[in-house]
Structures are given as structure tokens and as C-alpha cells.
Amino acid sequence: MTYTTDQLIQILDQELRANWKGERILLSSTDRMSNPVIAKALGSNKLSKVFAYQDFRAQIHDYQIQHQVSGLTWRECTFKAQTVRSPELHNQLIAVPGDKETLISAKRTILEFWRQTTFDLQFWLAEPDPQPITTAQVEQLAQEAEWVEIDATRLELYLSLCWGDPKECHYRWAYPDSKCIRIIAAANEPSALKV
């Protein structure tokens, strides 16, 4: 029997708890830290917890690849009394072949939800200092994106336009190979809330 995505998430969660309770020990952890000052500051106990969990997570990633277990989870996003179900890569798992295609295939449905719920809102390019952006600019960026992700607060909707590697697209260091641009839809200027 192959474990499911949800089961792998539960296993990782249990292992993380066991690590932080000190139930897992990795004796060679200080040897792995290339900076001896940081290794001494953190201490062997904390390093052991971090590296033990990293090793276990790497084994789960190998299992995912070997058994083709998706790293995607599905969640619901509700805004203005409408709901869309969308896939996203779980932060402790990796994408396996086929996961990116699932993300790409959900793009049309998520963009339709975005259009239906934001027609009366203003758009902002999410940056440290949000910049206004037109509907036409949002549409152009959306057409260029490989897949999209969606989040909501009570008053704002957030659209992430993504390219490249699903595991790396949210990190600035991955640019230009992977990238994610965030758009905020709000009635007025967006809040300072980070989603």
C-alpha cells in the first residue's frame, strides 16, 4: 500500500513534533554545519533536531518520487460568498511529475473566480510599497503565467502569477528561472496584512 499525500503530511508532522520534543537524535549534526561559530551558538541539541528532520523529510521526498505521490493539497478559497477549490504545493513536500500540470490545469478556473469576484475592485502589484496596476496589465501577466494561486482575507483577494519550479517560485533567489508575481484586489489601498 502506497501512502497518500495526506498521510505523508501527517507523518512529517508527527516526525517534526518528535524532533522538537528531543525524541530524535542525530549525532553527526555539528559536523554538517560549515560555520563553527554558528554551530556553537545554536548548540548540538538544536542542530540535531534540524538535521534529523531534514534527513527524514529527504526520505519522504525520495518516497514521493519512487511512488509518484503528489505534493499537492487542495483547499478552498472563499471571497464575496463565492468559493473556488485550488491546488497548491504543500510546503514540506515536493512536486512530482504531473503536479505542475495539475497546477496549470487549474489556472482557468481560478482566473474565472478572480474575474467574477474582483470586477469592482482596484488592483495593486504587491511589493514592499504596493503599486496600482490596471485590469489590462493583470490580464497580460495572467496570460503569461504558467499557473496561478489564490488567497483571500475578508476584504482583499490575492492572486499569485507563477512560473518555473513550484517549490522555488516564491523565492527571489530563484528568479529568473522561477518567479511569482502577487496582485492584490482591494476596494481601496491594500492593507499592510501579508498573506
PDB file of all heavy atoms in Angstrom, residues 5 13 22 26 33 46 73 90 101 108 122 135 178:
ATOM      1  N   THR A   5      -0.855  11.567  -0.085  1.00  0.00           N
ATOM      2  CA  THR A   5      -0.302  12.885   0.243  1.00  0.00           C
ATOM      3  C   THR A   5      -0.659  13.267   1.667  1.00  0.00           C
ATOM      4  O   THR A   5       0.202  13.707   2.435  1.00  0.00           O
ATOM      5  CB  THR A   5      -0.835  13.936  -0.749  1.00  0.00           C
ATOM      6  OG1 THR A   5      -0.477  13.533  -2.078  1.00  0.00           O
ATOM      7  CG2 THR A   5      -0.272  15.315  -0.459  1.00  0.00           C
ATOM      8  N   ASP A  13       4.430  15.730  10.063  1.00  0.00           N
ATOM      9  CA  ASP A  13       4.026  16.498  11.239  1.00  0.00           C
ATOM     10  C   ASP A  13       4.397  15.761  12.524  1.00  0.00           C
ATOM     11  O   ASP A  13       4.931  16.347  13.469  1.00  0.00           O
ATOM     12  CB  ASP A  13       2.520  16.775  11.186  1.00  0.00           C
ATOM     13  CG  ASP A  13       2.067  17.709  12.281  1.00  0.00           C
ATOM     14  OD1 ASP A  13       2.691  18.777  12.464  1.00  0.00           O
ATOM     15  OD2 ASP A  13       1.075  17.378  12.974  1.00  0.00           O
ATOM     16  N   GLY A  22      12.729  16.238  21.328  1.00  0.00           N
ATOM     17  CA  GLY A  22      14.011  15.619  21.642  1.00  0.00           C
ATOM     18  C   GLY A  22      13.991  14.113  21.532  1.00  0.00           C
ATOM     19  O   GLY A  22      14.879  13.435  22.047  1.00  0.00           O
ATOM     20  N   LEU A  26      20.514  13.047  16.210  1.00  0.00           N
ATOM     21  CA  LEU A  26      21.434  12.867  15.094  1.00  0.00           C
ATOM     22  C   LEU A  26      22.817  13.249  15.609  1.00  0.00           C
ATOM     23  O   LEU A  26      23.086  14.420  15.863  1.00  0.00           O
ATOM     24  CB  LEU A  26      21.019  13.744  13.911  1.00  0.00           C
ATOM     25  CG  LEU A  26      21.787  13.549  12.630  1.00  0.00           C
ATOM     26  CD1 LEU A  26      21.578  12.133  12.085  1.00  0.00           C
ATOM     27  CD2 LEU A  26      21.334  14.548  11.596  1.00  0.00           C
ATOM     28  N   MET A  33      27.487  21.484   9.903  1.00  0.00           N
ATOM     29  CA  MET A  33      27.458  22.937   9.851  1.00  0.00           C
ATOM     30  C   MET A  33      28.832  23.434   9.433  1.00  0.00           C
ATOM     31  O   MET A  33      29.820  23.185  10.118  1.00  0.00           O
ATOM     32  CB  MET A  33      27.055  23.497  11.220  1.00  0.00           C
ATOM     33  CG  MET A  33      26.976  24.996  11.278  1.00  0.00           C
ATOM     34  SD  MET A  33      25.814  25.764  10.149  1.00  0.00           S
ATOM     35  CE  MET A  33      24.268  25.378  10.910  1.00  0.00           C
ATOM     36  N   LYS A  46      20.048  21.654  19.216  1.00  0.00           N
ATOM     37  CA  LYS A  46      19.194  22.278  18.190  1.00  0.00           C
ATOM     38  C   LYS A  46      19.598  21.812  16.794  1.00  0.00           C
ATOM     39  O   LYS A  46      18.738  21.550  15.956  1.00  0.00           O
ATOM     40  CB  LYS A  46      19.269  23.794  18.284  1.00  0.00           C
ATOM     41  CG  LYS A  46      18.530  24.348  19.470  1.00  0.00           C
ATOM     42  CD  LYS A  46      18.572  25.859  19.502  1.00  0.00           C
ATOM     43  CE  LYS A  46      17.879  26.373  20.745  1.00  0.00           C
ATOM     44  NZ  LYS A  46      18.036  27.812  20.906  1.00  0.00           N
ATOM     45  N   THR A  73      -1.848  19.712  -2.306  1.00  0.00           N
ATOM     46  CA  THR A  73      -3.043  19.631  -1.469  1.00  0.00           C
ATOM     47  C   THR A  73      -4.093  20.519  -2.118  1.00  0.00           C
ATOM     48  O   THR A  73      -3.767  21.400  -2.916  1.00  0.00           O
ATOM     49  CB  THR A  73      -2.769  20.095  -0.022  1.00  0.00           C
ATOM     50  OG1 THR A  73      -2.293  21.445  -0.045  1.00  0.00           O
ATOM     51  CG2 THR A  73      -1.754  19.199   0.659  1.00  0.00           C
ATOM     52  N   HIS A  90       2.298  21.624  -1.049  1.00  0.00           N
ATOM     53  CA  HIS A  90       2.488  21.661   0.400  1.00  0.00           C
ATOM     54  C   HIS A  90       3.929  22.071   0.696  1.00  0.00           C
ATOM     55  O   HIS A  90       4.858  21.638   0.012  1.00  0.00           O
ATOM     56  CB  HIS A  90       2.176  20.284   1.013  1.00  0.00           C
ATOM     57  CG  HIS A  90       2.149  20.314   2.496  1.00  0.00           C
ATOM     58  ND1 HIS A  90       3.287  20.145   3.259  1.00  0.00           N
ATOM     59  CD2 HIS A  90       1.130  20.513   3.369  1.00  0.00           C
ATOM     60  CE1 HIS A  90       2.966  20.224   4.536  1.00  0.00           C
ATOM     61  NE2 HIS A  90       1.655  20.449   4.625  1.00  0.00           N
ATOM     62  N   GLU A 101       1.428  20.071 -14.022  1.00  0.00           N
ATOM     63  CA  GLU A 101       0.321  20.037 -14.982  1.00  0.00           C
ATOM     64  C   GLU A 101      -1.017  20.245 -14.275  1.00  0.00           C
ATOM     65  O   GLU A 101      -1.919  20.887 -14.807  1.00  0.00           O
ATOM     66  CB  GLU A 101       0.330  18.725 -15.767  1.00  0.00           C
ATOM     67  CG  GLU A 101       1.473  18.604 -16.766  1.00  0.00           C
ATOM     68  CD  GLU A 101       2.843  18.359 -16.138  1.00  0.00           C
ATOM     69  OE1 GLU A 101       2.922  17.949 -14.956  1.00  0.00           O
ATOM     70  OE2 GLU A 101       3.847  18.597 -16.832  1.00  0.00           O
ATOM     71  N   ARG A 108      -7.353  28.257 -15.382  1.00  0.00           N
ATOM     72  CA  ARG A 108      -8.555  28.844 -15.985  1.00  0.00           C
ATOM     73  C   ARG A 108      -9.664  29.036 -14.953  1.00  0.00           C
ATOM     74  O   ARG A 108     -10.291  30.101 -14.858  1.00  0.00           O
ATOM     75  CB  ARG A 108      -9.045  27.978 -17.147  1.00  0.00           C
ATOM     76  CG  ARG A 108     -10.202  28.581 -17.928  1.00  0.00           C
ATOM     77  CD  ARG A 108     -10.647  27.686 -19.074  1.00  0.00           C
ATOM     78  NE  ARG A 108     -10.988  26.337 -18.700  1.00  0.00           N
ATOM     79  CZ  ARG A 108     -12.132  25.987 -18.101  1.00  0.00           C
ATOM     80  NH1 ARG A 108     -13.029  26.877 -17.808  1.00  0.00           N
ATOM     81  NH2 ARG A 108     -12.363  24.718 -17.809  1.00  0.00           N
ATOM     82  N   GLN A 122     -10.025  47.550  -7.111  1.00  0.00           N
ATOM     83  CA  GLN A 122      -8.800  48.092  -7.696  1.00  0.00           C
ATOM     84  C   GLN A 122      -7.689  47.059  -7.527  1.00  0.00           C
ATOM     85  O   GLN A 122      -7.714  46.257  -6.593  1.00  0.00           O
ATOM     86  CB  GLN A 122      -8.419  49.392  -6.994  1.00  0.00           C
ATOM     87  CG  GLN A 122      -9.448  50.488  -7.157  1.00  0.00           C
ATOM     88  CD  GLN A 122      -9.061  51.713  -6.351  1.00  0.00           C
ATOM     89  OE1 GLN A 122      -7.887  52.016  -6.184  1.00  0.00           O
ATOM     90  NE2 GLN A 122     -10.061  52.419  -5.843  1.00  0.00           N
ATOM     91  N   THR A 135      -6.437  46.623 -14.964  1.00  0.00           N
ATOM     92  CA  THR A 135      -7.035  45.321 -15.288  1.00  0.00           C
ATOM     93  C   THR A 135      -6.331  44.705 -16.492  1.00  0.00           C
ATOM     94  O   THR A 135      -6.048  43.504 -16.506  1.00  0.00           O
ATOM     95  CB  THR A 135      -8.540  45.482 -15.564  1.00  0.00           C
ATOM     96  OG1 THR A 135      -9.154  46.070 -14.413  1.00  0.00           O
ATOM     97  CG2 THR A 135      -9.202  44.154 -15.869  1.00  0.00           C
ATOM     98  N   SER A 178      12.478  30.759 -11.941  1.00  0.00           N
ATOM     99  CA  SER A 178      11.175  30.603 -11.303  1.00  0.00           C
ATOM    100  C   SER A 178      10.781  31.951 -10.713  1.00  0.00           C
ATOM    101  O   SER A 178      11.638  32.701 -10.256  1.00  0.00           O
ATOM    102  CB  SER A 178      11.242  29.562 -10.187  1.00  0.00           C
ATOM    103  OG  SER A 178      11.594  28.298 -10.703  1.00  0.00           O
TER     104      SER A 178
END
